[in-house]
Amino acid sequence: MSFNVAIDGPAGAGKSTIAKLVAKEMGYIYVDTGAMYRAIALYLLRREVSADDESAIASLINDISVEIKYQEGAQQVWLNGENVTTKIRQEAVGNMASATSVYSCVRSKLLSLQQDLAAKTDVIMDGRDIGTCVLPNAQVKIYLTASVKTRAQRRYNELQEKHVTCDINDIMKDIEERDYRDMHREISPLKQAEDAILVDSSNMTIEEVVNCIVSHCKERM
Ligand code: DC
């Protein structure tokens, strides 16, 4: 049986940074499920489909193929035969992913892909509903969060490093809106699984968070 670690939490909590480091230390494959929702969102943006138009999205869903491959240990996301790993990182794609991940046709399309990956290999999978819906039997479940202020400041610093002009108040507003949407949707909302360990990284270093999760994994092995 494969060993599964689920990490859920709001946008900007540092899930992917942490999960990649834990994966490296423990020899797991890192699966970023947000990237799958982003690939579908990119397809819909290119087709100029409105995020509100559920029936148009449902009618297009079977035209979309999302594949996950690994290159030197790094996850690559393929959309209809095109590697879109970099293109899906834009802010607009993330917002579209949040808006369109509310639909059951979108979620059910990705569920089996995610469960198949975890059944075959030891994975650390991050997202919003991994501990609650995708991998309810995961050996370790983490709910990783941080205050809105901390998450906005981290995002601001990242954008500053890339010389992107931005306003911290706009970032905070964006984070609050995304949190609300992800936590209040009808299907598989973001919430802490009953058996998940809460880790608030607001006042923790990356190393401290990684060590905390690694020790929980070792305990359950
Ligand atoms: O983790 P991320 O920011 O790349 O995710 C983008 C959006 O995708 C997120 O706002 C909500 C959605 N998502 C989801 O609904 N379920 C997941 N397991 C992962 C992401």
Side-chain angles (χ1 to χ4, degrees), residues 7-12 15-16 30 32-38 41 88-89 93-102 106-107 110 114 125-130 134 178-179 181-182 185 187-190:
I7 301 197
D8 293 300
K15 297 186 297 294
S16 67
Y30 165 55
D32 167 9
T33 62
M36 303 176 189
Y37 287 93
R38 285 171 180 263
I88 56 171
R89 295 330 316 176
V93 179
N95 287 331
M96 183 69 169
S98 173
T100 54
S101 62
V102 302
V106 172
R107 304 205 71 82
L110 297 177
Q114 294 162 0
M125 186 176 281
D126 84 3
R128 305 291 188 285
D129 61 339
I130 310 306
V134 181
R178 179 102 79 97
D179 282 0
R181 216 168 25 219
D182 292 349
R185 67 177 174 226
I187 316 166
S188 316
L190 166 65

Side-chain angles (χ1 to χ4, degrees), residues 8-141:
D8 293 300
K15 297 186 297 294
S16 67
T17 307
I18 300 294
K20 275 182 204 160
L21 292 166
V22 175
K24 202 167 167 201
E25 183 144 349
M26 299 299 292
Y28 306 148
I29 294 282
Y30 165 55
V31 183
D32 167 9
T33 62
M36 303 176 189
Y37 287 93
R38 285 171 180 263
I40 292 182
L42 178 64
Y43 178 90
L44 296 171
L45 282 172
R46 285 175 171 175
R47 294 291 300 258
E48 297 182 5
V49 179
S50 159
D52 301 329
D53 195 346
E54 184 176 2
S55 65
I57 294 171
S59 71
L60 285 170
I61 202 82
N62 289 330
D63 297 345
I64 308 174
S65 143
V66 178
E67 284 173 287
I68 298 296
K69 299 180 186 177
Y70 287 88
Q71 216 170 46
E72 287 160 23
Q75 175 179 292
Q76 304 288 312
V77 187
W78 291 70
L79 169 66
N80 292 348
E82 174 191 355
N83 186 336
V84 293
T85 311
T86 316
K87 291 176 191 130
I88 56 171
R89 295 330 316 176
Q90 297 161 33
E91 219 69 22
V93 179
N95 287 331
M96 183 69 169
S98 173
T100 54
S101 62
V102 302
Y103 301 126
S104 65
C105 62
V106 172
R107 304 205 71 82
S108 56
K109 183 175 182 80
L110 297 177
L111 182 65
S112 52
L113 176 61
Q114 294 162 0
Q115 289 177 332
D116 288 351
L117 279 166
K120 282 190 289 221
T121 8
D122 294 348
V123 297
I124 177 160
M125 186 176 281
D126 84 3
R128 305 291 188 285
D129 61 339
I130 310 306
T132 51
C133 299
V134 181
L135 305 175
N137 299 319
Q139 286 85 346
V140 177
K141 294 183 187 179

